Amino acid sequence: MQVVQVCQVLLSVSVAITTVSFTAGFKCAQCADIRYAKIMKNTIPDLKLNIGSLNLTSNRLCKSAQGVPVVECPQSSTSGSNVNRCVHYNGALDMTIKVGTSGEVNVLYEGTYRDCVLESISASGSCMDQITVLPDDNKLRAAALKTSPYNLSDYSVTAEFNGRKCVSDMKGMFQNVNKSPLIVAMTGCNILAIVVSYIISKVYF
């Protein structure tokens, strides 16, 4: 396990170094497919919310990203720890809307979301299951808020994602989506081993 962890660290460093020199932009799929939605709870009398009133986006091609709208992903900064990447969310989003002590509304969504997103360099080329509360500036959270017919800016909103999140590499490709962490780590080790061997051969032979 220690060897695998070392390989993963080295692979992350390699990705970070390569990314610094990468300046060209690329295209990302930009779409959403809400396959299921349900009002789990509504205890706010003045907030008349039901499934029929929600603005639900449904693009069945979003899961495969074939034949969907694309967006130009801006160039990443040549410095810093965050870079633009294509991101693919697939799973459930639990959104809770609270109005002081008046009550709350809980909406559950299931589906797929894709867009160009600012991500940590270390997340490049990754794909993992997660349960996480999305930050206020998250694009998936913003997309969920837009499904409401009401302006929710004055409400307390919590959005929790439970599913699989994949982040592309520096070329906008999801090469590691279907690979296990072990295969990804060993692939990185193989690449680094080749590079190190080449450098050694140049220095000592």
Side-chain angles (χ1 to χ4, degrees):
M1 288 301 295
Q2 290 180 341
V3 173
V4 173
Q5 291 174 346
V6 170
C7 291
Q8 290 175 326
V9 171
L10 291 174
L11 181 58
S12 297
V13 172
S14 176
V15 171
I17 292 174
T18 305
T19 303
V20 170
S21 62
F22 180 75
T23 57
F26 48 90
K27 295 185 184 299
C28 296
Q30 187 180 55
C31 58
D33 179 25
I34 302 175
R35 297 184 291 274
Y36 174 83
K38 183 178 181 180
I39 308 294
M40 306 299 290
K41 178 171 65 173
N42 186 354
T43 59
I44 305 176
D46 296 332
L47 197 63
K48 307 299 182 183
L49 200 63
N50 55 64
I51 292 299
S53 66
L54 295 177
N55 303 312
L56 301 179
T57 301
S58 179
N59 186 338
R60 292 292 184 262
L61 299 176
C62 193
K63 191 170 184 178
S64 65
Q66 300 297 318
V68 298
V70 296
V71 61
E72 187 74 28
C73 214
Q75 292 183 10
S76 298
S77 170
T78 55
S79 63
S81 59
N82 293 324
V83 290
N84 287 313
R85 293 288 182 263
C86 299
V87 173
H88 173 204
Y89 286 96
N90 189 63
L93 183 69
D94 192 320
M95 185 170 71
T96 301
I97 307 163
K98 294 184 178 180
V99 183
T101 58
S102 301
E104 65 181 41
V105 175
N106 179 247
V107 186
L108 178 66
Y109 305 90
E110 291 183 6
T112 299
Y113 179 78
R114 293 177 180 270
D115 206 344
C116 169
V117 178
L118 193 64
E119 288 285 338
S120 169
I121 289 179
S122 62
S124 294
S126 67
C127 198
M128 63 183 67
D129 296 324
Q130 60 180 227
I131 300 176
T132 183
V133 175
L134 303 177
D136 290 350
D137 61 350
N138 181 272
K139 287 190 173 182
L140 174 59
R141 181 182 186 276
L145 292 178
K146 289 181 180 179
T147 65
S148 171
Y150 301 100
N151 182 354
L152 300 178
S153 59
D154 295 330
Y155 296 83
S156 172
V157 180
T158 300
E160 181 181 271
F161 173 72
N162 183 349
R164 194 163 184 80
K165 177 186 177 183
C166 297
V167 181
S168 76
D169 61 18
M170 56 187 272
K171 296 181 180 180
M173 304 296 291
F174 293 94
Q175 298 177 351
N176 299 327
V177 171
N178 297 317
K179 296 181 181 179
S180 69
L182 178 61
I183 293 176
V184 173
M186 295 312 295
T187 300
C189 282
N190 291 339
I191 293 173
L192 291 174
I194 292 172
V195 173
V196 171
S197 298
Y198 176 79
I199 293 174
I200 291 175
S201 68
K202 289 298 182 181
V203 173
Y204 294 100
F205 298 98

